[in-house]
Amino acid sequence: MSVTIYHNPACGTSRNTLALIRNAGVEPFVIEYLKQPPERATLAGLIAASGLQVRDAMRQKGTPYAELGLDAPSMTDDQLLDAMLAHPILINRPFVATPLGVRLCRPSELVLDILDQPQRGAFTKEDGERVIDADGKRVQHG
């Protein structure tokens, strides 16, 4: 299975998503998008394929989102994409693409919906939340 993750190693959600992919026995193609931003068409395609609007694919916290005036309702999708390409930190993460689809994996366990390989064992997120039990089954919460 061909899997690509647009990854930020400084992000816990991104690290958890990458670990869940690997827990399925898949070694993904890892793109550290802060160092190697996607091309405009790729970014627009990821957003569209995930079913999101461009604004919904933007990270606000810890970014220049407000300072750049990107919260203005008058900003077009093209302007927002331009900002994301100029400041890759504005791209929310992690996007994961597989033959089964594309997801913005927030929370990280959304990646399970687009992996065709089962989890191979227990998995606990960095914050201590159990996501996969010892039998490789998804743990149901609340």
Side-chain angles (χ1 to χ4, degrees):
M1 170 179 241
S2 172
V3 176
T4 300
I5 180 171
Y6 291 83
H7 180 57
N8 178 351
C11 171
T13 300
S14 196
R15 290 191 305 270
N16 284 321
T17 302
L18 178 57
L20 279 165
I21 295 167
R22 289 177 171 157
N23 198 46
V26 175
E27 185 54 40
F29 184 63
V30 178
I31 297 173
E32 289 190 33
Y33 69 92
L34 293 177
K35 294 179 182 175
Q36 183 183 1
E39 293 188 8
R40 182 187 192 85
T42 301
L43 179 59
L46 288 168
I47 294 168
S50 69
L52 295 174
Q53 297 297 314
V54 174
R55 189 175 298 278
D56 297 329
M58 297 186 80
R59 183 162 180 84
Q60 297 177 26
K61 182 180 170 188
T63 73
Y65 181 84
E67 297 85 61
L68 294 173
L70 301 175
D71 51 351
S74 62
M75 295 294 286
T76 66
D77 285 353
D78 282 335
Q79 290 171 312
L80 296 174
L81 283 169
D82 288 343
M84 293 166 87
L85 295 169
H87 307 277
I89 193 69
L90 290 165
I91 302 170
N92 214 338
R93 73 254 179 185
F95 273 96
V96 177
T98 79
L100 299 180
V102 176
R103 295 283 184 283
L104 173 59
C105 296
R106 299 190 73 79
S108 54
E109 52 269 29
L110 288 178
V111 75
L112 299 173
D113 298 337
I114 57 171
L115 292 175
D116 67 1
Q117 300 292 336
Q119 294 289 293
R120 294 186 169 185
F123 183 82
T124 301
K125 290 172 32 172
E126 291 179 4
D127 66 3
E129 178 185 353
R130 266 183 16 134
V131 178
I132 305 295
D133 68 19
D135 296 323
K137 304 291 184 215
R138 197 169 182 167
V139 174
Q140 299 300 318
H141 295 284

